[in-house]
Amino acid sequence: MHRVVALVRPVQSTFELACANEVFGLERDFLPRYYDFRVCTERPGPVPTTAGYDMVVTDGLSAVDEADTVIIPGWRPYDAELSPAVLRALKRAHKRGCRLVTICSGAFALAQTGLLDGRRATTHWSRTDQLRALFPRVEVDPDVLYVDHGDVATSGGAGAGIDLCLHLVRNDLGAARSVHLARYMVLPPHREGGQTQYTVDIPVTQPDQSLGGLLEWVTERLAEPIGVEDMAAFLKISPRTLARRFDEQLGTSPGRWLLTQRVNATRALLEETDLSVEAIARRVGLVSATNLRRRFVAAVRTTPAAYRRAFNA
């Protein structure tokens, strides 16, 4: 069992904690149990929450010493100092190989350990300036949904915590299980773009401008040689207009979105079938094994063969 421990403090945000519990803490019939989820706090007992009720937490910091992943689900107030005991516990956990993960303002707590110095990190877009001011040695990226370095990971606003948690499941157990879990949660398994798309009011898209029909049409035809021009023709608009709508609605370009769908389909076929790389390339529209390998390595940072060895059931 992979032991996941959420470290909470007064006053704890219920949503950020629920994000971690929803992904790592609930047993589901369609997935083998891989994670053991617990909650701890520095001083066990009642912990006030932002919802107005207290939750009783029975585990203390000793749970951090036994964890494989520690999640800090928010940090209120964001400039609150870590106690010496919590600071020591987090540094001790990291030194022995524990993965440290933050959701939203939890990055402010992790930054106090010095483990983010000289590294990219993110937090809620409205707090990135404060994070940069308090911790000038941290390379704050205000746009991304999350940043994962393997040993430490940070996410943007609370909802982006779910994106990060699903990403961790994808890395731990493979894309197929992450997709099954996301479907059960009625969420996309992977969101394109970053936080910038949520920082301003975007005009409501008219029904005749919706990308929904196009996205469905493309994903059903990945094996076909569909390009940006074909996507624009489907909507009867110019490629330039298509690019603008993708940027406004998804925060990415049509070409990048299409490549992501093909890479995701490749991951699923590597996990669930014994098809050759050449056959998979034809099925997902990447034409040849050579092109598939090049695209896959660039996106996933490993070869198709290594990925299959790790995740093929």
Side-chain angles (χ1 to χ4, degrees):
M1 298 295 289
H2 184 104
R3 293 161 295 188
V4 179
V5 172
L7 174 61
V8 301
R9 72 181 304 274
V11 173
Q12 177 60 44
S13 167
T14 55
F15 184 76
E16 281 91 333
L17 178 59
C19 291
N21 178 65
E22 185 72 21
V23 175
F24 300 111
L26 298 185
E27 292 188 45
R28 294 180 170 89
D29 294 337
F30 60 89
L31 286 179
R33 190 179 179 198
Y34 178 75
Y35 299 104
D36 175 48
F37 182 78
R38 300 165 63 187
V39 179
C40 79
T41 189
E42 182 177 7
R43 297 180 179 85
V47 176
T49 70
T50 56
Y53 60 81
D54 290 358
M55 60 181 179
V56 177
V57 180
T58 58
D59 286 332
L61 292 179
S62 60
V64 173
D65 293 326
E66 302 171 357
D68 299 300
T69 294
V70 170
I71 298 178
I72 304 175
W75 193 254
R76 294 169 180 261
Y78 70 89
D79 55 354
E81 291 188 12
L82 289 176
S83 71
V86 171
L87 180 62
R88 287 194 299 269
L90 292 175
K91 285 188 172 182
R92 191 166 58 242
H94 181 265
K95 186 175 182 179
R96 64 175 173 78
C98 177
R99 179 171 60 188
L100 303 184
V101 177
T102 69
I103 297 177
C104 197
S105 57
F108 285 86
L110 184 57
Q112 294 182 52
T113 66
L115 296 172
L116 296 180
D117 290 355
R119 309 173 86 176
R120 286 175 66 242
T122 193
T123 188
H124 192 282
W125 58 266
S126 68
R127 293 294 185 188
T128 51
D129 287 342
Q130 290 96 324
L131 183 64
R132 188 180 292 111
L134 287 173
F135 305 99
R137 297 183 64 183
V138 178
E139 299 175 9
V140 180
D141 190 333
D143 183 33
V144 293
L145 293 175
Y146 56 82
V147 179
D148 180 18
H149 294 286
D151 60 326
V152 294
T154 56
S155 72
I162 299 178
D163 293 285
L164 175 54
C165 290
L166 288 173
H167 162 78
L168 297 177
V169 172
R170 187 161 56 245
N171 284 351
D172 291 343
L173 303 177
R177 293 189 183 182
S178 177
V179 167
H180 285 314
L181 181 57
R183 285 174 178 166
Y184 190 86
M185 296 169 65
V186 198
L187 292 169
H190 175 73
R191 283 196 295 169
E192 293 290 345
Q195 295 192 80
T196 299
Q197 59 188 311
Y198 303 105
T199 62
V200 295
D201 292 329
I202 299 175
V204 176
T205 306
Q206 298 300 317
D208 61 344
Q209 295 179 327
S210 172
L211 294 175
L214 171 66
L215 303 187
E216 183 178 352
W217 179 79
V218 171
T219 52
E220 291 175 351
R221 294 167 174 80
L222 289 180
E224 300 176 15
I226 295 172
V228 174
E229 292 77 10
D230 302 297
M231 296 166 68
F234 178 84
L235 291 180
K236 297 181 175 59
I237 59 177
S238 68
R240 179 176 295 181
T241 300
L242 179 72
R244 185 175 66 250
R245 292 185 186 174
F246 262 80
D247 184 57
E248 291 172 350
Q249 298 182 42
L250 299 179
T252 189
S253 68
R256 184 175 178 181
W257 176 86
L258 179 58
L259 178 59
T260 298
Q261 307 318 302
R262 286 177 164 149
V263 170
N264 287 343
T266 298
R267 294 173 72 148
L269 289 171
L270 288 171
E271 294 171 22
E272 299 172 353
T273 76
D274 292 322
L275 290 172
S276 68
V277 173
E278 187 72 41
I280 292 175
R282 292 193 296 269
R283 282 202 180 192
V284 302
L286 290 175
V287 183
S288 69
T290 300
N291 186 44
L292 183 148
R293 290 189 182 96
R294 180 171 63 87
R295 300 287 193 177
F296 194 84
V297 169
V300 188
R301 300 293 189 270
T302 190
T303 65
Y307 187 87
R308 171 169 269 167
R309 285 194 299 270
F311 294 114
N312 189 286

